[in-house]
Amino acid sequence: MTPLCPVESIEDPGSAGFVIETTDGRKRAIMVVQANGHLRGYVNHCPHRGHPLDFTPGRFLDMTRTFVLCASHGALFSVETGRCLAGPCLGDGLDPVALVVAGGMIMVETT
Ligand code: FES
């Protein structure tokens, strides 16, 4: 497990970005997003062109702070499921990252 941050450091709605190291030493950019009490983790990799989703580091939500937004071409994703609901990758989805909350900390299982 890799600790990321305290739960209270992610606003609801809000988001944050992290770079974690996998067990084979590679770096992986991930995001933690929260909206309507749903706290989720996803790989920071858009299924459309493979770009990182955040133009401003750590800001993954759209202006309404309801959906995950890809800043490159405007795809919108469900916070709860990661599925693309609008945009050029409609029907595709973000790769989930399993989060664990323990002792007030958000942690990710390192793969
Ligand atoms: S790279 Fe994300 S919508 Fe195009």
Side-chain angles (χ1 to χ4, degrees):
M1 291 286 183
T2 301
L4 298 177
C5 64
V7 174
E8 67 266 17
S9 69
I10 307 287
E11 292 181 57
D12 185 357
S15 63
F18 302 91
V19 176
I20 61 171
E21 191 168 312
T22 62
T23 52
D24 61 2
R26 290 177 295 136
K27 305 280 189 202
R28 173 175 282 169
I30 65 169
M31 72 183 87
V32 174
V33 292
Q34 183 165 231
N36 300 317
H38 297 280
L39 186 67
R40 297 287 190 271
Y42 297 105
V43 176
N44 185 5
H45 178 94
C46 182
H48 177 223
R49 293 270 172 88
H51 299 176
L53 284 89
D54 53 335
F55 179 72
T56 302
R59 293 188 60 183
F60 292 94
L61 298 180
D62 71 325
M63 286 180 62
T64 68
R65 302 179 85 188
T66 305
F67 302 101
V68 176
L69 168 71
C70 180
S72 290
H73 308 109
L76 294 173
F77 302 85
S78 163
V79 169
E80 292 87 348
T81 67
R83 181 151 308 276
C84 181
L85 304 173
C89 48
L90 181 65
D92 285 343
L94 301 173
D95 292 329
V97 173
L99 300 179
V100 174
V101 177
M105 285 293 293
I106 302 171
M107 294 180 277
V108 62
E109 194 165 327
T110 310
T111 57

